[in-house]
Amino acid sequence: MHTYHTPLDLVRERSPERPVALVRPDAVAVAARWFQDKFQGDVFYAVKANPSPWVIRTLAENGVNSFDVASIREVELVAEHAPGGRMAFMHPVKSRRAIERAYYDFGVKTFSFDTHEELAKILEATGGADDLSLIVRLAVATDGASYSLAGKFGAETHEAPSLLLAARRATQDRMGVSFHVGSQCMRPTAFQAAMAQASRAIVRAGVVVDVVDVGGGFPSVYPGMIPPDMSDYLDSVQRGFSEMMVTEGAELWCEPGRALVAEGTSMLTKVELKKGDALYLNDGSYGSLFDAAHVKWPFPVKLYRGAADAHEVAGPLKPFRFYGPTCDSLDHMPGPFWLPEDVREGDYVEIGMLGAYGVAMSTGFNGFGDAETVEVRDAPMASMFGLAGRSIRTPRDEQADDRKVVRLSRPKGAAGKKRRKR
Ligand SMILES: Cc1ncc(COP(=O)(O)O)c(C=O)c1O
C-alpha cells in the first residue's frame, strides 16, 4: 500500500481521478490497544464494520485477535489475515452449510441464535457436537442508539427463558447471552440497563450462564453526535456485570465494530460539478457514503484544491449537499456538509470518520465504486482515543451557541422582574 504523509501530499503528487480510501492503521491500532487494555473481558471485533485485510491484520497485531463473524466469507477473511484468531459466529440466522463449514473446516465453536429452530439447525449441522458455546441473542431496549438495530434479531422477554433452558441442556460447554443496544449508542447507561434486562431473563429461566456478551454499539464522533467519554461506557458495562446473576467465573465479552475502526479511514473524493448548493462527487451512496445517504449522517469534511499550487482551502463556510456518481436519484447525501463557499469543479473533498460501514458497504453499481487505498499518517478528524478532539463543530453549532449567549446575557428578562418582586 502506498503511503503519503497527508491527504494533501496525495492531491499534490497525483490528482487522483478515482475516489481514494485514506487509511490510518495507527488510529485502528490505538483503538484496539485501548479496548484491549481497558475492557475487563474479551474483545471480539465485529468484522462487518470493515472487513479490509489491513484492518484485520492491524487489530490482530495490536491484541484484538478475536472476531465476531457473520458469514463464511468473513470466516475465510479472518482465517487468512489473522491465522489462529478466535471466531464467534454471531449472526442469529445462518445457512446449514455455513454452520458446517465454520465448525468442521475452521474450528468455529461459538454460535448465536434467537429461536429454537436455529438452535436445532446448529446442533444438526454440527452432528450434535457437545463442545459448542451457545449464545442466546436477547432483544433489549435500543432507545439510546442513533442507529437502532431493534426488530430484526433477539428473543423477546416471553421467549427468552425457554430458549435459555434449551441452550443450557444442549451443551456441555459454555452457554451465554448476548444483545445489541443499537449502533452509535449515545447513552452509556444503556449497557447497564440491557444487562439488567438480560439478568431478569436468566433468573426467570433459572439457568447458570457462563458468558455475557454486551455486543457492539460503542460510539464514534460525527457532527452533531459527540458521545460521552468511552470509559463511561466501560464503567456502565462493569457496573451492569457486577449486578448480574451470573457465576463468579462468568466471562464478559464485547463485540465493538464502529468504535475500533471509524477513525481509521476517510475518503478523498473529487468534485465533478457544482450546481448551486449541490456538489456532484465521484463517490456516493453506492460507494462508501451509504450512511450519509440513508441514515443522513453529516460526516465532517475538508477541501483541497489540486493542480500546481495544491493547498487546503479555507474561507467562509456554506452548507452543501452531495450527489454521488450513479444515475440513481437516491444517490443523494443531504448533509449539510460545511465547505468553503468557493468550492469548484476539480477540487477534492475529504470526508472523514468513514472507517466503519463505509468502504464495507460499497457496490459496483453503474460501473462506479472502484476506489483505491493508500495509507496516510495524519490524525483522524476526531477521536474517542485522544488522537484528535472529541467533537466536530459546525458553523450551525456556533450560531446556536451565539443564540444561547444572547439569551443568557439578557438582563431585563423574566428573571430580572422576579428578582424585583421578591
Ligand atoms: C451481532 C453484532 N455485533 C456487533 C456489531 C457491531 O456493532 P457496532 O458497529 O455498533 O459496534 C453488530 C452490528 O451490526 C452486530 O450485528
Side-chain angles (χ1 to χ4, degrees):
M1 203 188 308
H2 206 90
T3 303
Y4 293 87
H5 194 60
T6 65
L8 181 59
D9 289 344
L10 166 65
V11 169
R12 186 177 290 125
E13 279 180 39
R14 295 250 321 272
S15 298
E17 268 307 304
R18 287 187 293 157
V20 184
L22 305 168
V23 309
R24 295 173 177 82
D26 288 352
V28 172
V30 166
R33 287 199 297 269
W34 192 93
F35 260 89
Q36 199 58 31
D37 286 354
K38 309 260 191 279
F39 186 80
Q40 295 185 19
D42 298 351
V43 181
F44 288 73
Y45 168 58
V47 175
K48 60 181 78 67
N50 187 333
S52 306
W54 71 266
V55 167
I56 295 172
R57 281 196 302 268
T58 305
L59 289 168
E61 283 160 13
N62 286 278
V64 175
N65 205 19
S66 297
F67 299 87
D68 150 22
V69 288
S71 63
I72 274 298
R73 184 71 196 115
E74 289 185 358
V75 171
E76 288 167 349
L77 274 171
V78 170
E80 184 180 347
H81 301 288
R86 177 179 174 203
M87 288 186 251
F89 208 143
M90 301 307 278
H91 193 314
V93 182
K94 300 162 282 303
S95 77
R96 283 174 194 272
R97 182 79 185 120
I99 300 166
E100 262 170 41
R101 285 210 59 214
Y103 181 75
Y104 288 108
D105 297 349
F106 295 92
V108 178
K109 302 254 161 74
T110 304
F111 295 90
S112 93
F113 52 92
D114 61 4
T115 58
H116 287 279
E117 290 78 0
E118 183 75 10
L119 172 58
K121 201 200 282 179
I122 293 166
L123 297 174
E124 283 162 25
T126 56
D130 62 3
D131 58 352
L132 301 178
S133 293
L134 295 172
I135 310 291
V136 180
R137 168 90 174 251
L138 303 173
V140 295
T142 61
D143 45 358
S146 303
Y147 192 116
S148 168
L149 294 170
K152 187 164 182 181
F153 298 127
E156 297 295 339
T157 309
H158 64 280
E159 304 159 328
S162 78
L163 205 48
L164 287 165
L165 265 175
R168 181 72 284 169
R169 288 191 188 121
T171 181
Q172 308 291 314
D173 210 303
R174 275 173 298 207
M175 185 281 247
V177 290
S178 74
F179 54 78
H180 200 301
V181 295
S183 205
Q184 184 66 11
C185 178
M186 299 299 286
R187 208 186 301 146
T189 51
F191 283 90
Q192 198 181 346
M195 291 166 99
Q197 219 177 319
S199 195
R200 285 194 290 276
I202 294 167
V203 170
R204 261 198 310 276
V207 294
V208 176
V209 305
D210 314 298
V211 175
V212 176
D213 175 356
V214 301
F218 302 94
S220 190
V221 187
Y222 305 95
M225 283 182 270
I226 302 165
D229 208 282
M230 192 64 90
S231 52
D232 293 353
Y233 288 82
L234 299 204
D235 290 348
S236 169
V237 168
Q238 213 42 55
R239 273 197 304 277
F241 194 48
S242 65
E243 289 162 4
M244 282 186 86
M245 291 290 284
V246 289
T247 53
E248 189 105 44
E251 293 175 30
L252 180 63
W253 297 0
C254 67
E255 301 165 15
R258 178 185 305 285
L260 290 175
V261 293
E263 297 171 20
T265 306
S266 55
M267 285 307 290
L268 190 73
T269 66
K270 190 169 180 203
V271 179
E272 305 291 10
L273 184 79
K274 179 182 183 184
K275 203 199 271 183
D277 71 343
L279 301 180
Y280 289 68
L281 305 181
N282 63 354
D283 194 23
S285 68
Y286 293 93
S288 53
L289 300 179
F290 184 96
D291 280 352
H294 299 290
V295 204
K296 301 190 174 25
W297 282 4
F299 289 84
V301 284
K302 285 184 183 173
L303 185 68
Y304 305 101
R305 188 138 299 150
D309 107 42
H311 61 282
E312 184 174 345
V313 185
L317 302 179
K318 226 187 92 171
F320 287 93
R321 57 205 173 89
F322 297 157
Y323 282 108
T326 71
C327 300
D328 188 349
S329 53
L330 285 178
D331 196 358
H332 174 231
M333 286 59 64
F337 302 99
W338 292 86
L339 285 164
E341 56 193 9
D342 83 328
V343 50
R344 56 185 81 153
E345 188 218 326
D347 282 352
Y348 290 90
V349 178
E350 182 189 359
I351 307 170
M353 311 303 285
L354 275 173
Y357 310 106
V359 272
M361 313 291 274
S362 192
T363 75
F365 178 50
N366 241 186
F368 297 103
D370 183 19
E372 64 172 311
T373 302
V374 307
E375 183 177 336
V376 287
R377 290 279 161 81
D378 62 342
M381 293 193 198
S383 177
M384 294 295 283
F385 307 101
L387 296 170
R390 189 160 49 84
S391 75
I392 296 169
R393 296 180 60 75
T394 63
R396 194 163 282 167
D397 298 322
E398 257 112 61
Q399 282 161 12
D401 281 356
D402 288 347
R403 279 196 296 275
K404 269 188 230 151
V405 171
V406 169
R407 236 179 279 128
L408 290 173
S409 62
R410 210 180 288 150
K412 319 155 199 82
K417 277 184 198 141
K418 261 187 211 148
R419 226 175 282 128
R420 270 198 299 278
K421 262 190 200 162
R422 260 189 251 138

